[in-house]
Amino acid sequence: MFSLSSTVQPQVTVPLSHLINAFHSPKSTSSVSASVSQSQHRDVVPEHEAPSNEPVLNLRDLGLSELKIGQIDQLVDHLLPGFCKGKNIFSHWHTSHVSAQSFFENKYGYIDVFNTLRSSCLYRQHSRTLKSICSDLQYWPVFIQSRGFKTLKSRTRRLQSTSERLAETQYIAPSFVKGFLLRDRGSDVETLDKLMKTKNIPEAHQDAFKTGFAEGFLKAQALTQKTNDSLRRTRLILFVLLLFGIYGLLKNPFLSVRFRTTTGLDSAVDPVQMKNVTFEHVKGVEEAKQELQEVVEFLKNPQKFTVLGGKLPKGILLVGPPGTGKTLLARAVAGEADVPFYYASGSEFDEMFVGVGASRIRNLFREAKANAPCVIFIDELDSVGGKRIESPMHPYSRQTINQLLAEMDGFKPNEGVIIIGATNFPEALDNALIRPGRFDMQVTVPRPDVKGRTEILKWYLNKIKFDQSVDPEIIARGTVGFSGAELENLVNQAALKAAVDGKEMVTMKELEFSKDKILMGPERRSVEIDNKNKTITAYHESGHAIIAYYTKDAMPINKATIMPRGPTLGHVSLLPENDRWNETRAQLLAQMDVSMGGRVAEELIFGTDHITTGASSDFDNATKIAKRMVTKFGMSEKLGVMTYSDTGKLSPETQSAIEQEIRILLRDSYERAKHILKTHAKEHKNLAEALLIYETLDAKEIQIVLEGKKLELR
Ligand SMILES: Nc1ncnc2c1ncn2[C@@H]1O[C@H](COP(=O)(O)OP(=O)(O)OP(=O)(O)O)[C@@H](O)[C@H]1O
Ligand SMILES: [Zn+2]
């Protein structure tokens, strides 16, 4: 039955919820008539509004929280004699709230405070759930004065026992799960009622039962607190992980490049130890290697050079076309001297953001100086050290180059830092960079000559399996103007071709094939060329070959083919015996004659009406040679030994004189070619027919055909 002592628990706020439970319990556990009376009562009460300025106090404030089981019963009995037996008050009177109260007052001589309390708080909004009412009544409106009593001792004991029990509960399930399970306090209160009813708990045990229930509630509260703590901890851990994640992403090479780009903080390049690259790896650039040898000596033993007070260059500028081995040489210098090698590309310093390029240069030099002796290599120096022109594309280039100049001035020549710069356009460099004290030593790295090309080809051929019949010199002769990188690529392509064809070794055929592919583009085997066009091409190409063969100063023939390749339908290749440093007038005229051979052949064999467009590039070539002979080489009697650079600015007379001379040279060449082809019409026909059968003929085969011998069938 109603018992305050059993519901009030020694904890600050909790007992109030249970107090509601206590108020609620007579209703739910009383007889049917009692509940009827209450429901009617509730019907009436809603019109009644409790005073809004009710003083509110919790049980602790009232001192009731410290009461032991049974003590509150006594207290209530004392204050309200007969209250505990007074259920008939609620059940027998079908009166309004006000009259019920005054009746009570008349009968007992004091106001029924509990009725007031019930009417103002509990039943004011009867449609609300028990749970919400419980939360409303965290505080108990009080109309009577009361004194509380507590002892420190009892309080300590209570706290102890609470924490002990809490600890027990914690091990049962994860705290956040408990938090969820125990959050619904309202339903707990309801459950207590039901439990009391359904379990038929004897009156003697009800106190203990309720105490236990209240303690459970306390644990739930403590667990909720614990859940909040653990959630906070989880959030903190997630935040720390997020920070780590962001840091990790920034360390990622791809993103860090972006990071560097925007901040320029970490721009120095890690040094690379270049032991495995030596001068032995760089072929065909003997002069450059000799010049760099003294730098290697200096890096190995700086004292030897400084004892006599001599100064070595701070900067060395490697000048040469792309792919000729400038980077390789710089690496070889570091490798020979066994010092760290710092690589930086000029374009890395070319930044849109102010100060970034300059700060990178600073970082690079700072690191290098700390690791001297060493080599700093700046590739594409022109992109950082170009002339300091104001350009919207490179707004801060001035700053960067100034920083580079300052850094180069900033260390003594004997500190052991050697800066090697490389460029394809030395003329584009800022003059301040190439004055003595900066890049004051220039080393030219030219395209390799035929000897150099042969060496480079041998070097790379030795890295693959090749047939003994391979003659690197022949390939070298046919690859005039190739750089080291292009020759390396040629050998590699030949190896790939051999692999595709299922061969065990690379032969001359694959090397020739890859040379033509690089020079003229890939073969177009799939192209269907009709017989008529094939025949025209065969006579056209044999025309070139016949002129080359029968002209004294023409280059030796290497090969003739009617296999379409790149934009051409066929071609004849000629090989100089050696790289030509100079060309004679006779050689130039011979080249023009060979070019004319194609068109002359078409005209002689098929007639003027059937000449084709296929000779246009031949004429281009011949015209260029004739023009240079007249305007540059002083090889025209009429115009004399004089150069004419900008023909557009010349007087009309001079212009027409130049034009006439070129015309005469070309016409004479055409006539000479015609004469040769008419003279060797038979050989011309034989060669064309052989080409139609074999598609490609090498130098030896051409010779056999032109000597009138039969070719062995392949
Ligand atoms: N003289 C050479 N001897 C051997 N290999 C060479 C030579 N020249 C070029 N190579 C090959 O070509 C590659 C590219 O050459 P490298 O990068 O040194 O040329 P580069 O002159 O620095 O070109 P760029 O001016 O384009 O930077 C080298 O790694 C090497 O494999
Ligand atoms: Zn031609």
Side-chain angles (χ1 to χ4, degrees):
M1 212 25 242
F2 177 66
S3 164
L4 263 179
S5 64
S6 62
T7 54
V8 174
Q9 284 306 307
Q11 191 69 23
V12 180
T13 53
V14 181
L16 288 169
S17 332
H18 285 271
L19 193 62
I20 299 314
N21 194 23
F23 280 121
H24 185 60
S25 63
K27 171 175 67 87
S28 52
T29 53
S30 61
S31 63
V32 179
S33 62
S35 61
V36 168
S37 144
Q38 281 181 7
S39 69
Q40 284 165 344
H41 197 95
R42 265 179 261 147
D43 289 342
V44 183
V45 172
E47 285 118 53
H48 174 84
E49 284 300 321
S52 59
N53 56 349
E54 284 173 356
V56 286
L57 285 168
N58 63 24
L59 269 191
R60 191 176 175 170
D61 296 327
L62 293 170
L64 294 176
S65 61
E66 298 293 329
L67 289 181
K68 286 186 181 161
I69 294 169
Q71 282 179 326
I72 293 186
D73 259 350
Q74 288 168 16
L75 177 68
V76 171
D77 218 8
H78 177 72
L79 287 169
L80 311 168
F83 181 80
C84 296
K85 299 167 251 159
K87 64 180 179 188
N88 50 346
I89 294 170
F90 305 111
S91 53
H92 297 312
W93 296 92
H94 298 261
T95 56
S96 75
H97 160 75
V98 178
S99 63
Q101 192 170 310
S102 41
F103 177 78
F104 185 93
E105 198 178 347
N106 289 338
K107 187 175 175 192
Y108 295 101
Y110 55 88
I111 297 167
D112 177 9
V113 275
F114 290 95
N115 189 25
T116 311
L117 176 69
R118 279 195 301 276
S119 61
S120 62
C121 297
L122 265 179
Y123 303 125
R124 186 168 45 202
Q125 290 176 336
H126 49 88
S127 60
R128 291 170 68 192
T129 60
L130 187 62
K131 183 181 166 187
S132 65
I133 293 165
C134 277
S135 61
D136 269 5
L137 283 181
Q138 286 291 317
Y139 295 98
W140 183 22
V142 162
F143 298 94
I144 46 169
Q145 291 290 320
S146 169
R147 253 191 312 271
F149 50 92
K150 330 177 182 177
T151 62
L152 194 64
K153 199 178 158 202
S154 64
R155 191 187 163 143
T156 318
R157 186 176 48 78
R158 277 195 317 272
L159 286 174
Q160 236 175 15
S161 66
T162 312
S163 61
E164 274 163 17
R165 284 180 215 121
L166 204 65
E168 282 164 28
T169 329
Q170 280 165 6
Y171 293 107
I172 299 166
S175 54
F176 61 90
V177 176
K178 286 176 207 155
F180 277 118
L181 292 175
L182 299 170
R183 191 160 287 173
D184 198 357
R185 283 172 238 174
S187 62
D188 289 345
V189 176
E190 237 167 10
T191 319
L192 181 61
D193 284 342
K194 280 183 197 151
L195 273 174
M196 300 272 280
K197 220 173 9 178
T198 50
K199 301 238 169 185
N200 264 339
I201 294 164
E203 209 165 310
H205 294 152
Q206 273 184 9
D207 290 351
F209 185 82
K210 287 183 179 179
T211 310
F213 192 86
E215 282 176 355
F217 189 86
L218 282 177
K219 282 176 198 166
Q221 263 204 334
L223 281 172
T224 311
Q225 179 62 32
K226 180 104 185 27
T227 309
N228 286 341
D229 288 349
S230 79
L231 275 174
R232 225 172 289 137
R233 256 198 313 275
T234 315
R235 250 178 274 155
L236 187 72
I237 290 167
L238 282 175
F239 181 69
V240 170
L241 285 176
L242 186 75
L243 286 181
F244 270 112
I246 291 169
Y247 179 75
L249 281 175
L250 288 174
K251 276 280 158 189
N252 173 305
F254 175 69
L255 286 170
S256 70
V257 169
R258 287 178 59 85
F259 185 65
R260 281 180 182 194
T261 309
T262 44
T263 64
L265 295 175
D266 174 24
S267 60
V269 188
D270 291 333
V272 192
Q273 215 71 27
M274 279 293 130
K275 262 186 185 163
N276 50 349
V277 182
T278 61
F279 281 148
E280 192 48 33
H281 295 76
V282 197
K283 302 286 177 191
V285 281
E286 295 311 317
E287 293 81 4
K289 282 201 270 184
Q290 271 169 23
E291 285 191 66
L292 290 170
Q293 189 61 48
E294 67 184 54
V295 179
V296 174
E297 291 300 324
F298 165 71
L299 284 167
K300 275 184 179 168
N301 190 3
Q303 286 79 26
K304 189 176 128 190
F305 288 80
T306 51
V307 159
L308 299 173
K311 278 184 190 172
L312 261 152
K314 281 183 187 175
I316 298 148
L317 192 60
L318 302 180
V319 181
T324 46
K326 297 184 292 295
T327 312
L328 201 63
L329 267 173
R331 283 177 187 270
V333 168
E336 288 278 338
D338 195 14
V339 297
F341 177 80
Y342 288 89
Y343 176 91
S345 176
S347 53
E348 279 178 37
F349 303 115
D350 187 18
E351 281 293 343
M352 285 296 287
F353 301 103
V354 62
V356 173
S359 99
R360 286 189 181 167
I361 291 204
R362 253 194 320 273
N363 289 348
L364 178 64
F365 276 82
R366 193 181 48 231
E367 279 203 27
K369 275 188 226 170
N371 291 296
C374 68
V375 170
I376 297 179
F377 178 67
I378 306 177
D379 208 353
E380 305 166 50
L381 188 66
D382 40 291
S383 60
V384 58
K387 296 213 162 61
R388 281 170 283 181
I389 27 166
E390 295 294 341
S391 142
M393 293 298 289
H394 312 279
Y396 305 113
S397 62
R398 240 169 196 287
Q399 252 192 359
T400 312
I401 188 172
N402 286 344
Q403 186 63 43
L404 180 61
L405 295 175
E407 291 293 345
M408 289 193 80
D409 291 343
F411 66 89
K412 293 176 211 84
N414 306 330
E415 266 186 63
V417 179
I418 289 282
I419 306 151
I420 303 182
T423 181
N424 305 330
F425 313 99
E427 58 284 347
L429 288 179
D430 197 290
N431 285 336
L433 259 188
I434 43 180
R435 77 150 172 75
R438 282 147 189 179
F439 288 102
D440 43 8
M441 177 175 165
Q442 272 205 22
V443 175
T444 310
V445 189
R447 286 204 174 89
D449 58 9
V450 70
K451 191 166 157 269
R453 290 199 299 275
T454 313
E455 271 180 37
I456 295 171
L457 283 168
K458 277 185 188 163
W459 173 256
Y460 287 111
L461 276 169
N462 280 327
K463 298 187 177 186
I464 61 166
K465 286 186 187 169
F466 68 99
D467 193 73
Q468 287 311 307
S469 65
V470 166
D471 187 351
E473 207 190 312
I474 292 182
I475 304 296
R477 277 168 56 196
T479 47
V480 184
F482 272 46
S483 66
E486 284 168 325
L487 292 169
E488 185 187 3
N489 182 33
L490 188 152
V491 174
N492 186 48
Q493 297 239 6
L496 292 178
K497 167 82 174 149
V500 168
D501 292 352
K503 294 199 173 171
E504 286 184 0
M505 293 196 176
V506 170
T507 65
M508 270 313 256
K509 199 173 160 238
E510 283 80 42
L511 289 165
E512 283 283 351
F513 175 88
S514 62
K515 184 189 87 180
D516 288 347
K517 192 175 164 189
I518 293 168
L519 281 173
M520 278 170 284
E523 278 183 350
R524 291 190 295 158
R525 281 189 182 275
S526 57
V527 181
E528 277 292 318
I529 294 170
D530 59 84
N531 279 341
K532 193 178 163 222
N533 268 309
K534 258 191 181 168
T535 313
I536 294 173
T537 309
Y539 276 96
H540 178 110
E541 298 306 334
S542 333
H544 289 308
I546 294 287
I547 310 287
Y549 193 81
Y550 292 106
T551 302
K552 191 174 150 267
D553 290 298
M555 289 183 217
I557 299 173
N558 176 42
K559 178 173 86 169
T561 179
I562 55 165
M563 169 65 71
R565 185 182 277 282
T568 66
L569 288 173
H571 71 272
V572 171
S573 74
L574 308 176
L575 273 189
E577 300 85 357
N578 267 309
D579 288 354
R580 286 184 170 181
W581 303 108
N582 256 325
E583 283 178 309
T584 62
R585 187 173 193 269
Q587 283 171 336
L588 291 172
L589 290 177
Q591 278 181 46
M592 284 170 64
D593 295 357
V594 174
S595 297
M596 290 296 177
R599 164 56 68 81
V600 173
E602 285 180 30
E603 201 183 306
L604 286 178
I605 306 295
F606 305 106
T608 332
D609 286 347
H610 295 96
I611 51 174
T612 67
T613 54
S616 77
S617 64
D618 295 338
F619 294 145
D620 264 356
N621 197 25
T623 311
K624 258 186 218 156
I625 295 171
K627 193 174 176 186
R628 292 212 324 258
M629 282 174 76
V630 174
T631 59
K632 284 212 181 312
F633 306 144
M635 288 181 180
S636 153
E637 268 180 38
K638 202 172 169 189
L639 287 155
V641 280
M642 185 175 168
T643 57
Y644 303 87
S645 46
D646 195 350
T647 44
K649 286 182 184 165
L650 298 173
S651 68
E653 295 79 38
T654 317
Q655 278 189 33
S656 76
I658 291 171
E659 242 180 70
Q660 215 180 343
E661 274 298 287
I662 294 171
R663 228 182 269 277
I664 291 170
L665 281 173
L666 289 169
R667 195 199 57 212
D668 288 352
S669 174
Y670 186 85
E671 292 303 329
R672 279 194 302 275
K674 204 171 198 174
H675 177 72
I676 293 173
L677 279 181
K678 274 185 177 167
T679 317
H680 300 283
K682 195 171 150 247
E683 287 86 357
H684 184 203
K685 187 168 175 280
N686 286 347
L687 191 61
E689 280 170 1
L691 273 177
L692 282 169
I693 297 167
Y694 299 109
E695 271 188 352
T696 304
L697 297 171
D698 64 20
K700 263 191 204 148
E701 290 167 332
I702 291 171
Q703 196 180 351
I704 291 169
V705 173
L706 294 185
E707 284 171 0
K709 294 176 200 158
K710 265 234 166 268
L711 262 185
E712 279 174 36
L713 274 179
R714 279 181 278 178

